[in-house]
Amino acid sequence: LAAAGSLIGACLTASASWAATDLALGMPVTGTAYYNNGDVFPYSNLTDGRLGDTGSSYDWSFWLTPDGYGGAAAIDLGSDYSISSFYIQNTLNRGYQDRAAHHLDVYLSTSAPALGNVGTYGTKVQAIDFPDTLGTYVITDDAFAITPTVGRFITVDMTSFYGYSGGLNEVEAFGSPASPAVPEPATWTLAIIGLGGIGAAMRRRRAGLASA
Ligand SMILES: [Ca+2]
């Protein structure tokens, strides 16, 4: 009973540590486009773990799209996870309130999306309208839970304030590894046939030894 208790305790500890692990941290990101005109604001800023955009020049911790564009970016978690919650942080906008995410759709998929083709992004798990904080210099964010959904790729599809360009600081995702795949019935059939074949060979071998 004590052993069972410690096993349950270990499982609870494991699930608690998964709950606190940002699965997106440091994971590779691709996207439709990023601002690259002297200053550079690459996709990787979405998963660099840097929060709280400081507002200091060249201390860029966020992804920014080129002038006149919103955009989409996809984070590759490396394998399938059952995702249950997110924390998403917008940018400080440098006081202009124009270069940030206005509306954001969040998708999960098990296969890589074709960025620019919304139909390939998978299941939409959340839609966010960030508040317009014009003149208040407040970094807006959103923490939310979803119905647990299995995915390897997180795609964020963004429109910008006033159409100048979109910006987003960080995407954090939480969940646990998806359950191992259950073998297909056909695979079991092949395995059983294989075992049958081995059994027959052993019987033949025994028969051969007996007659020798
Ligand atoms: Ca960041």
Side-chain angles (χ1 to χ4, degrees):
L1 194 62
S6 66
L7 183 63
I8 291 166
C11 290
L12 287 174
T13 304
S15 86
S17 66
W18 277 115
T21 300
D22 172 13
L23 301 170
L25 181 62
M27 300 312 284
V29 193
T30 54
T32 48
Y34 61 87
Y35 192 98
N36 182 3
N37 185 14
D39 294 340
V40 180
F41 302 81
Y43 314 118
S44 54
N45 284 352
L46 280 178
T47 58
D48 66 355
R50 297 172 65 207
L51 298 167
D53 172 11
T54 62
S56 301
S57 292
Y58 302 103
D59 186 22
W60 315 126
S61 58
F62 51 93
W63 166 48
L64 195 63
T65 59
D67 285 346
Y69 292 93
I75 300 164
D76 182 357
L77 300 179
S79 59
D80 287 346
Y81 288 90
S82 177
I83 303 296
S84 52
S85 66
F86 287 89
Y87 172 77
I88 294 180
Q89 188 180 75
N90 214 337
T91 71
L92 189 63
N93 310 325
R94 323 240 83 67
Y96 299 116
Q97 309 303 322
D98 53 3
R99 302 175 191 276
H102 183 197
H103 180 88
L104 193 72
D105 290 324
V106 183
Y107 297 83
L108 281 169
S109 62
T110 53
S111 54
L115 292 169
N117 181 358
V118 175
T120 68
Y121 296 176
T123 304
K124 188 195 286 191
V125 295
Q126 189 79 347
I128 304 167
D129 282 311
F130 284 108
D132 186 340
T133 56
L134 184 63
T136 58
Y137 308 98
V138 173
I139 300 174
T140 56
D141 59 10
D142 201 35
F144 56 91
I146 61 170
T147 300
T149 303
V150 173
R152 169 176 168 174
F153 297 89
I154 301 165
T155 302
V156 290
D157 190 33
M158 171 172 68
T159 62
S160 69
F161 280 110
Y162 315 116
Y164 284 102
S165 64
L168 194 67
N169 194 354
E170 196 79 5
V171 176
E172 297 181 352
F174 304 92
S176 55
S179 302
V182 176
E184 298 283 328
T187 310
W188 281 110
T189 305
L190 287 173
I192 290 164
I193 290 169
L195 286 170
I198 291 166
M202 288 177 73
R203 281 192 295 278
R204 279 197 298 276
R205 186 152 180 267
R206 274 201 299 271
L209 287 169
S211 66

